[in-house]
C-alpha cells in the first residue's frame, strides 16, 4: 500500500486506482505539435479514465537549438514555441469535472547533450521584457547545451546538479479561449512548477467536452522562479496515468504528493498569483477537510508553504501548500 | 569545528569568531521600546564586535492582547506597533561596513498562553488593505491565544505545530530616514523571514555611525508569506552575537546558514522583491565565489530557492538562496 | 480640408482617403456574436481597404439586463460576455501590415432606458476579484438602467453627464491565440479607452490573414479607469471606415486624433501597461518623426499625457500620447 | 469674488480667507535644506493660519548640475537629493487636523539656463532600477540644461513647451517616521503631480504637532508620469498661503482647483495608488457631498478623471478627480 492508495485520485477517481489500457503517444502519432491550448484542435488520442499514456515530449525549442552557436533570435520563431502533445480526449469528461494526471516517470530521450538552457532577449526575470518594457540594451544571447542522465545534470565543470524532472506545461482546454503554450492560467498551462514531477498528481478543472489534455515542456531540473526564463529543457518519454473525478468542482489547478496538497495560482503581479493559491487552499481546507475558514487562514499563516514556479512567463505561477500531516483529524 | 568556523562572520568578522563580553538588554534596561528605526533615537547599549547580547523582546503587540476578547481595533494604536529593542551601538561600525548578527537561541518568556495570533482589519494578504484599497466590508477581527513551549506550538485541539522560532524584525539604521517597524527595506526591518532563526547569521549594511542595531518581533513559527498578516507572536529571551565586517560592501540584507547563502529583497510588487533578491545573489556569486555572472544567472534558473517572507507588510520580503554545496570549487 | 486629410490613415492607407463601398453589418447579418477574438471563427463580411461598415453592436450584456431587478449573477453567464461583431475580413491584409479603423459615428439604438451600469460581484477596481483574491464578502450587486440620447446621459435626478461615446473593444485576431472579449492585449481587445470614439483612428497590427476585425462594447460615457468595472453600456449603430496600411509595422495598438498621437499598452501590473505605452511612443517618435530616442524620452517626461483606459479587466490599458503640435518640425 | 471664496480652504479654514502676515523663507533663513520629512528637525519658521510665506526653493539637485557635462553619477550623492525648505510650524495644528496650502505664484529664480533635466542611472520608468532590479547595462547619463521664463520652456531648437509650474514635493511630517524627500506617501512627499501648481489648494493631514510643513522640488513643466524620472527642475520663488482646518479628518492628501476636487494616493504597484485615490474620492463624495457611496462609485466609473503624477519614485502617485460641476445639488 502506497500513498497513492489514499490519494484523491485513487479514492475519488472513476477508475478507483485500477490501471487501464496503456497508450503510446509517439512523435509520429502526435504529428504536428500544438502551440495553443484550446477547443479548436483535432484530438490525437481518446482514452478512458484510468488509462496510462506514454508520451514522447519534445523540448521547449522543438529541437531547434542543437549547438551553443544556435542563437534563439535566429532559430526560434514566436509564437511557435513550447510544443505540446495532445489534445488527448478523456471519455466522459464534462465541464465541472476534474481530470487527475499522475506523472509516473520521465526518461530522457535522444542523443546527448540532451539539455538546453539559454538567455533569450527581453525574456527572463532580471531584464526588461516585452511587458516590463525598458529602453535598455538587451542582455546577451547565450546558449548552453548540457549533458544529463537519470541521475544528474552536468551543468558545468564545476557544478553537477541532481536530475529532478518535472513537466513545465500541463493543461486542459479553456472553454472558449485558445491560449498559447507560454502562458499559464486557470486551465493550467506553462506553470513551470518544480513539484509537478514524477510521484505527483495534478488536478485540472474540465471546461470543455473531453477535457482535451495537453502536455509538454519537460525540465530536467529547475530553480524556484526559473529566473533566467529557461530551465534545462529536454525531450522525454513521460508516462502518465489519467483519471476523471466527477462531483469535485475546482477553479484552479491543484497538486498532490505523498507529503502535501497544493493549490496553484497564475497571475500578475506576483502577489495576485500568491493570493489565488492561498485563497484556493483556504477554501479547499474548509470544504474537504473540515476546517473553519478563518482557522485555516490563520493556521496557514503559521505553516503554509509557498513554491514560486515561475516569474518570467506572461503570467507568474505560485503554489501554496500544507503538509497532509496537519490535515488529519486527531 | 562547526559550520560557524567557516562562516563569513567568523572568517571575515573583526572578532574572527572569538566570543566577547555578554550584555543583558532586559525590559528594564531597554525602557521605552522603539517603533521606528533611524538615526534619531538614544542608544541603549554599546558593544564591541564579537560581543553577545541577551535581549528581552516583547511581542509585536507589546503584550496588549492578553485574551481572545482583546480586539486589535481596541487594544492597538497605530503606528505604535511592533516594539523594537535598541538601538545597540557597535563600536567602529561605519557607513560601508557590514554588521553580522548570529542568532543563537530564542527562548519563550512569560506566562502562558504566550502566543498571539489575530486577524487585524484591512491587514493581511487575503483582504482589502490600506494600500490595496477596496470598499468591501473588512474581515472579522479574531484573536487566538496559543500555548507554546520550546518544542511545540499548540495551535488547536486538532493541530500541533513544531516550535520554529525566528526574529521578524532585524535592522540597522538607514542613513537619514527613520522607518516604522512595520516596514522592511534595504536596512532590514520587518522582513518576517522564517530562515532568520537560531543557527542563522544575518548580514546588514551599515549606513549610520555605530550601525544602530534594532531587534524584535519574535515568531514561534510562521508560514511562507505570513498570509493572515500575523505569525505566532510571543515575547522571548533572544541571544545574539554581533560582529563587524570591514571591507565588504552590500546593498541589501543577506543571510547564511550551514546549508545555504541567501540574498534578501523587500519591495512591491512581489516580483520586484524577488528580482532584488536574485540580482543580489547573482552579484554575490560573481564577486565572492568566482562565477561568471551569466553562468550564475542561468544556473540559479536551475537550482535557486525562493523563500517568501511576507506579502502583507508595507513592503514584501523575499529571500533567494543557493546551497553552499554548489558554491564549492571542485 | 480636415485633419483626416493629413492623418496617417489617409496618407499611408491603401485607399488614400478615398471612400469605398458601404456595408451593413446588422444583427441579422451578424447572427451569432463572438466571445473570443481569434483565427478560428467564420467571417461575416469581406471588405476592401477604404470601405465603410455600419455595425449594429449589442451592449456588453447582450441585452440580458433589462431592468434594475435583473441581477448580473443571475442573468449573465461567464465567459459569454461582451459580444463582438465580426470577424470582418479586409482584403489583402497580411501579417506585418496595419489596419486603420476610423470611427465616424456612434448612434444609440433601441428602446429606452438604453444604458446599463452595474456592480458585478468580484469585478471592479475597489473590490477583491478573481485575481486579487480576497476572503471579503463581495460588494452588493446593483443595477442601474439609464436613459441617454445623443446629447446626454441622464445618470440620476441629480447628475447629467455629456454623451461621449466610444468603442470599448476593438480587435484584430492574434496569430494563433483566441482571446476572450474581456481581455485586452497587443491585438487590441477590451481596452475601454475613452479616446476611441468618433473622430479617432485606431491602428491595429495584422497577425492573421485578412486581419479579422472584431468590434463591440460601446460606452455612452466612461471615466478614466472604469473604476466600478462597467461603463454606461448600450447598443449602437456604429459607422466605421477601414483601411489597410502596408509597410508600417507596429507591435501594439495606436490611436490618432486631430490633436494627438497615442500608443496603447495593456498589461498587469498597471506600471507595465504604462511602460509599454510610453516605450512604443518613444519608438514611434524616433522612427516616424525624426526624434533622437533619448530626446523623445526626456521630452515626454515634460509633455507626455497618460490616459488610464481600464484597471478592472484581466489586463489593464493605458494610452500615452503627445500633442501633434510638438511633433512638427519648425 | 473668485472660486477661492467658495473653496474648502476659505469656507472651513480658521482664517476664513483673511490674509495674515507675509513671511520670507529665503535661502539664507532656511540655512541647511532637508532631505527627510519627519518630526526630528528644527523648525525654521512659525506661522499662523492664514499667513503667507514666500519661499526660495532650490532645484532638486541643489544646483549641483550646472552644465551639460555635470554627470549625475559624479555630482549627486544619494540620499542627499531633492532639498526641502522647512519645517514650517503652523500654530495650533494638531493630529487629526488638516493643513491647506494655496500655491499662489511660482517665479523662476537665478541665472539661465535655469532648468535641468537628466537621465539618472537606474532611475526612471523605462529602465531597470534599484527596485525593478535587472542585469541590463544602464541607460546613458544625459544632462540637459534648459532656458525658461514665465511663458515658456525652451526645450530644444525644435520644441518649445509652455511654462506650467508646479511643486513636486509638499509634505507635513509623519507621526514618527522621517521619510526621505524622494518618496511620497500619505504625508504627501514627492508626489510630482502636475496639478499642484499656482491656483491649486493642497490639503494635507496633520500627524505631528504644528504640522511641520516642507516644500520644494519645483518643476517648470512635467508630463504625466514623469517618465524619464526627472522634470524640468528649477529654483523658484514660490508664494503660498497656509491655513488650518479643524474638524476635517483625512487620511491621504487632497487637492482642489476651480474646476475639480482630487484625492491623491501613493503606492506600488500603480493600481494600488489608483485604488487609494479612487476610494478616498468615493468616501469624500459620500461624506461631504451627500452621495450614496455605491452611486458615487458607479458614477465615477462614468466621469472620474485620473492624473498619473509619477511612476518613477519609490512610490507612484495618482490623483483621482471629479469636476465640481457634478457635485452640485440641482
Amino acid at each position: 500500500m502506497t500513498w497513492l492508495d489514499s490519494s484523491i485520485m485513487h479514492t475519488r477517481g472513476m477508475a478507483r486506482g485500477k490501471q487501464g489500457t496503456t497508450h503510446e503517444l509517439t512523435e509520429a502519432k502526435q504529428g504536428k505539435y500544438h502551440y495553443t491550448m484550446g477547443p479548436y484542435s483535432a484530438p490525437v488520442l481518446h482514452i478512458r479514465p484510468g488509462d496510462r499514456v506514454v508520451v514522447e515530449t519534445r523540448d521547449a525549442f522543438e529541437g531547434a537549438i542543437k549547438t551553443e552557436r544556435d542563437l534563439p533570435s535566429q532559430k526560434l520563431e514566436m509564437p511557435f514555441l513550447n510544443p505540446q502533445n495532445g489534445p488527448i480526449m478523456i471519455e466522459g469528461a464534462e465541464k465541472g469535472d476534474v481530470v487527475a494526471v499522475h506523472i509516473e516517470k520521465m526518461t530522457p530521450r535522444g542523443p546527448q547533450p540532451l539539455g538546453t538552457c539559454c538567455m533569450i532577449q527581453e525574456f527572463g526575470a532580471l531584464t526588461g521584457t516585452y511587458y516590463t518594457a525598458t529602453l535598455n540594451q538587451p542582455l546577451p544571447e547565450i546558449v548552453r547545451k548540457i549533458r544529463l542522465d537519470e541521475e544528474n545534470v552536468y551543468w558545468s565543470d564545476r557544478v553537477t546538479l541532481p536530475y529532478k524532472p518535472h513537466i513545465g506545461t500541463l493543461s486542459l482546454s479553456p472553454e472558449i479561449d485558445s491560449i498559447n503554450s507560454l502562458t499559464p492560467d486557470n486551465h493550467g498551462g506553462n506553470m513551470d512548477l518544480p513539484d509537478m514531477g514524477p510521484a505527483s498528481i495534478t488536478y485540472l478543472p474540465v471546461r470543455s467536452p473531453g477535457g482535451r489534455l495537453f502536455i509538454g515542456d519537460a525540465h530536467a531540473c529547475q530553480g524556484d522562479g526559473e529566473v533566467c526564463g529557461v530551465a534545462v529543457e529536454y525531450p522525454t518519454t513521460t508516462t502518465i496515468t489519467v483519471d476523471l473525478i466527477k462531483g469535485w468542482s475546482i477553479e484552479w489547478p491543484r497538486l498532490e504528493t505523498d507529503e502535501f496538497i497544493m493549490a496553484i495560482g497564475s497571475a500578475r503581479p506576483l502577489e495576485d498569483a500568491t493570493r489565488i493559491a492561498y485563497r484556493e487552499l483556504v477554501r479547499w481546507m474548509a470544504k474537504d477537510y473540515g476546517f473553519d475558514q478563518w482557522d485555516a487562514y490563520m493556521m496557514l499563516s503559521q505553516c503554509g508553504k509557498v513554491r514560486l514556479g515561475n516569474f518570467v512567463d506572461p503570467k507568474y505561477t505560485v503554489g501554496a501548500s500544507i503538509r497532509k500531516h496537519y490535515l488529519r483529524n486527531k
Side-chain angles (χ1 to χ4, degrees), chain A:
Chain A
M1 160 132 182
T2 73
W3 73 272
L4 280 171
D5 297 319
S6 59
S7 69
I8 301 165
M9 180 176 182
H10 281 210
T11 55
R12 300 181 65 172
M14 292 185 70
R16 285 291 182 276
K18 190 157 167 293
Q19 190 72 48
T21 309
T22 296
H23 310 260
E24 307 270 332
L25 184 52
T26 58
E27 291 210 6
K29 185 167 170 59
Q30 175 65 42
K32 198 175 149 3
Y33 282 66
H34 290 284
Y35 310 98
T36 66
M37 283 85 84
Y40 308 108
S41 41
V44 293
L45 192 66
H46 289 77
I47 67 172
R48 289 190 171 156
D51 282 2
R52 171 183 283 152
V53 189
V54 182
V55 186
E56 291 185 354
T57 67
R58 287 187 176 160
D59 76 30
F61 309 117
E62 211 154 356
I65 299 184
K66 296 183 202 309
T67 77
E68 297 193 348
R69 288 171 306 282
D70 291 334
L71 296 188
S73 61
Q74 293 167 358
K75 295 292 178 181
L76 307 179
E77 188 197 347
M78 282 286 289
F80 303 101
L81 287 179
N82 199 9
Q84 299 295 305
N85 294 78
I88 301 168
M89 308 303 281
I90 298 104
E91 189 180 284
E94 297 169 307
K95 185 174 172 180
D97 297 341
V98 168
V99 162
V101 181
H102 174 216
I103 299 172
E104 296 182 48
K105 203 165 61 168
M106 295 176 65
T107 314
R109 183 171 66 85
Q112 297 287 358
L114 271 165
T116 305
C117 181
C118 54
M119 287 168 57
I120 297 175
Q121 300 218 321
E122 301 224 307
F123 190 71
L126 301 187
T127 173
T129 66
Y130 191 80
Y131 295 109
T132 303
T134 69
L135 295 170
N136 300 89
Q137 283 297 313
L139 302 184
E141 288 189 279
I142 298 177
V143 173
R144 293 289 318 279
K145 294 294 293 186
I146 308 123
R147 259 190 325 118
L148 61 88
D149 56 33
E150 288 185 62
E151 295 209 339
N152 288 308
V153 173
Y154 303 95
W155 178 259
S156 64
D157 287 353
R158 182 171 170 177
V159 176
T160 297
L161 302 168
Y163 179 71
K164 289 198 178 168
H166 72 105
I167 286 295
T169 308
L170 189 63
S171 323
L172 295 186
S173 174
E175 186 163 4
I176 57 173
D177 287 32
S178 193
I179 299 182
N180 63 75
S181 51
L182 295 178
T183 303
D185 207 320
N186 63 12
H187 66 295
N190 192 22
M191 295 173 282
D192 292 322
L193 199 66
D195 306 285
M196 207 167 277
S200 73
I201 306 169
T202 301
Y203 301 99
L204 296 165
V206 178
R207 298 201 166 97
S208 175
R212 308 181 66 87
L213 179 66
F214 295 85
I215 182 169
D217 189 24
H219 297 167
C221 59
Q222 187 206 297
D224 295 348
E226 201 184 14
V227 64
C228 90
V230 182
V232 175
E233 314 286 338
Y234 75 127
T236 71
T237 303
T238 291
T239 305
I240 58 175
T241 296
V242 180
D243 203 350
L244 179 65
I245 303 177
K246 294 279 181 183
W248 190 36
S249 185
I250 64 178
E251 193 59 38
W252 288 87
R254 295 179 178 179
L255 187 143
E256 180 182 13
T257 71
D258 186 11
E259 290 294 326
F260 58 81
I261 61 168
M262 175 183 277
I264 301 167
S266 296
R268 286 195 182 197
L270 189 49
E271 50 266 44
D272 274 3
T274 317
R275 284 177 178 127
I276 291 166
Y278 259 128
R279 179 165 81 168
E280 291 298 304
L281 187 54
V282 167
R283 289 177 169 175
W284 192 359
M285 288 169 66
K287 181 131 192 255
D288 291 355
Y289 297 93
F291 286 87
D292 169 80
Q293 78 166 322
W294 305 127
D295 185 36
Y297 182 38
M298 295 170 85
M299 186 174 129
L300 287 171
S301 200
Q302 317 317 325
C303 66
K305 293 290 172 198
V306 164
R307 169 77 79 175
L308 176 57
N310 86 81
F311 71 125
V312 295
D313 296 331
K315 298 194 177 189
Y316 307 143
T317 298
V318 165
S321 65
I322 182 170
R323 291 187 60 204
K324 287 178 170 177
H325 174 77
Y326 299 133
L327 298 173
R328 288 182 193 122
N329 272 300
K330 278 205 170 159

